[in-house]
């Protein structure tokens, strides 16, 4: 599901076997990859797990978000990051794997 007022830029790939939910007022940069499955079996299993992206999230260019991740509301994810675990509300995250850089209250378009 994609909420209202969401901007998804060029060459972004979203793959959903189960659920990818993108909250309203979110920005998704170029070449982002979001999948709720591995794309191939691992140890004979390819179990999809939902990806939930909260409201008012800015996902930078070339970010990868893996299955089973929940991204909180009011989050910024730096370019090139790989999101392997849940990201709580109100933070800037970056790196591989993505980690908290700074907590904050709000960002504007």
């Amino acid at each position: 599901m994609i909420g209202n007022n969401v901007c998804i830029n060029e060459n972004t790939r979203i793959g959903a076997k189960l659920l990818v939910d993108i909250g309203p007022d979110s920005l998704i940069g170029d070449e982002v990859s979001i999948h709720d499955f591995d794309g191939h079996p691992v140890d004979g299993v390819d179990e999809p797990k939902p990806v939930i992206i909260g409201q008012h999230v800015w996902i930078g260019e070339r970010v990868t978000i893996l299955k089973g991740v929940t991204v909180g509301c009011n989050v910024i994810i730096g370019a090139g990051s790989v999101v392997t675990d849940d990201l709580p509300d109100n933070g800037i995250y970056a790196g591989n794997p993505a980690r908290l850089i700074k907590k904050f209250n709000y960002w504007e378009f």
Side-chain angles (χ1 to χ4, degrees), residues 7-78:
C7 178
I8 300 173
N9 281 291
E10 294 181 30
N11 299 318
T12 289
R13 294 174 309 278
I14 300 171
K17 285 188 176 181
L18 183 63
L19 174 68
V20 173
D21 190 341
I22 301 169
D25 301 319
S26 293
L27 304 172
I28 300 177
D30 293 335
E31 299 181 19
V32 170
S33 178
I34 304 169
H35 291 85
D36 69 356
F37 60 96
D38 294 318
H40 53 79
V42 176
D43 289 334
V45 177
D46 185 15
E47 179 184 348
K49 295 180 182 174
V51 174
I52 309 297
I53 297 171
Q55 181 174 347
H56 197 68
V57 173
W58 179 5
I59 301 171
E61 185 173 313
R62 294 188 178 147
V63 168
T64 299
I65 299 178
L66 301 180
K67 74 179 189 180
V69 167
T70 297
V71 175
C73 297
N74 197 42
V75 164
I76 297 172
I77 304 172

